[in-house]
Amino acid sequence: MSAADARAGGASGELPRDAADQPARGATPRDAMPQWLTERCTSRGGVPLCIRPLGPGDEAAERAFIARLSPMSLHQRLLGVVTEVSDEQIAELVRQQWPQRLGLAAFACDAEPGDAQQGGAQAGAQAGAQAGTQAGTQAGTQAGAQAGAQAGAQGQAAAGELPSAAEGILGVTRFDVGERPEAAEFAIVVADRWQRHGIGYALFQKLVRAARAAGYRELVGITYAVNREMVELARSYGFAVGPEEGEPSLRRLTLRL
């Protein structure tokens, strides 16, 4: 894989700057990552999330996440056919080197590092199932119908279902230094089952803020021209979408920070 998961793309647009977002490119890789990179939030689709940097202990969760991706999502993420991901590649995907590179993952809100390897996921799964049942019971007829329609369109389960810690990683975004030092290459992918639930949006917001804080001036991603959802999402965040030189099947997504 090349930088940022073989340069598959998408990110956020005009977000306000604050003191915590000031450039940190003068820092050394040993410097601690900003605490705000770890955040509990609720996606626009109502999914409780814990977004945090990947790290040691997340190798099994990252491998399981990749294994759950559909052939189409995997193909779009890696811009090609990959039959197997090596242990070395997995280790590289969870390795951080702030501020040069960063990988962020969205988990079900109760998931913590190593949950996929330890026994705590089972309790989280039971709690998530119970919460999903209660939410579905309390939801009105109209809300239930809308959620059911969305679930059907995505091949998901009944309305009101929420992810549990047992599902591990729900989505990943990352950036890495590109060919130009002021530009970062980025990638994003969301588990097929949880697409169209605002998880990608939440990851985009965190990615753009982090890239600004790291001192980058531009985010660049590559996606297939036929990946219309990604192209439309990028445009909605203010990305410029243009052709990739010499690759008519690809589109270059660029955002000035």
Side-chain angles (χ1 to χ4, degrees):
M1 299 179 205
S2 62
D5 277 2
R7 304 159 61 203
S12 173
E14 298 303 320
L15 297 176
R17 295 176 181 268
D18 58 37
D21 296 336
Q22 295 307 306
R25 296 301 300 284
T28 69
R30 294 190 300 274
D31 289 345
M33 289 181 286
Q35 292 184 353
W36 52 258
L37 288 174
T38 297
E39 179 185 33
R40 289 177 178 266
C41 62
T42 300
S43 77
R44 296 193 301 175
V47 179
L49 299 173
C50 175
I51 298 177
R52 61 170 174 78
L54 289 163
D58 288 323
E59 291 88 352
E62 175 73 7
R63 181 176 289 283
F65 173 68
I66 293 174
R68 290 196 310 271
L69 292 175
S70 68
M72 177 61 71
S73 291
L74 190 60
H75 183 75
Q76 290 176 345
R77 181 187 189 187
L78 301 177
L79 298 186
V81 178
V82 174
T83 57
E84 186 176 354
V85 182
S86 69
D87 291 341
E88 290 76 14
Q89 288 171 324
I90 293 293
E92 186 69 10
L93 288 174
V94 302
R95 182 177 69 88
Q96 307 291 351
Q97 191 177 358
W98 176 265
Q100 285 77 16
R101 61 184 295 174
L102 175 70
L104 294 170
F107 293 80
C109 203
D110 292 333
E112 297 294 342
D115 272 354
Q117 299 169 320
Q118 321 226 350
Q122 184 175 1
Q126 293 173 350
Q130 182 178 0
T133 300
Q134 292 174 348
T137 300
Q138 295 171 358
T141 303
Q142 182 178 0
Q146 290 175 347
Q150 292 174 352
Q154 293 297 313
Q156 296 180 5
E161 182 183 8
L162 295 175
S164 70
E167 296 195 53
I169 296 174
L170 306 179
V172 171
T173 189
R174 64 183 79 250
F175 66 69
D176 203 342
V177 63
E179 296 177 356
R180 293 177 290 117
E182 73 276 10
E185 297 181 349
F186 70 95
I188 186 167
V189 64
V190 175
D192 292 79
R193 188 181 186 202
W194 296 106
Q195 292 175 8
R196 292 186 175 274
H197 282 70
I199 296 172
Y201 185 96
L203 286 169
F204 282 153
Q205 287 185 307
K206 187 68 71 175
L207 176 77
V208 170
R209 184 182 177 189
R212 284 175 174 160
Y216 287 108
R217 290 291 172 257
E218 188 174 73
L219 278 173
V220 179
I222 303 296
T223 192
Y224 282 108
V226 297
N227 190 357
R228 296 180 180 177
E229 291 183 359
M230 186 67 260
V231 171
E232 292 173 1
L233 183 59
R235 281 184 173 140
S236 75
Y237 276 82
F239 276 81
V241 180
E244 174 70 356
E245 184 177 356
E247 295 288 348
S249 65
L250 300 179
R251 293 292 179 268
R252 175 174 286 263
L253 314 175
T254 306
L255 179 68
R256 294 295 299 176
L257 300 175

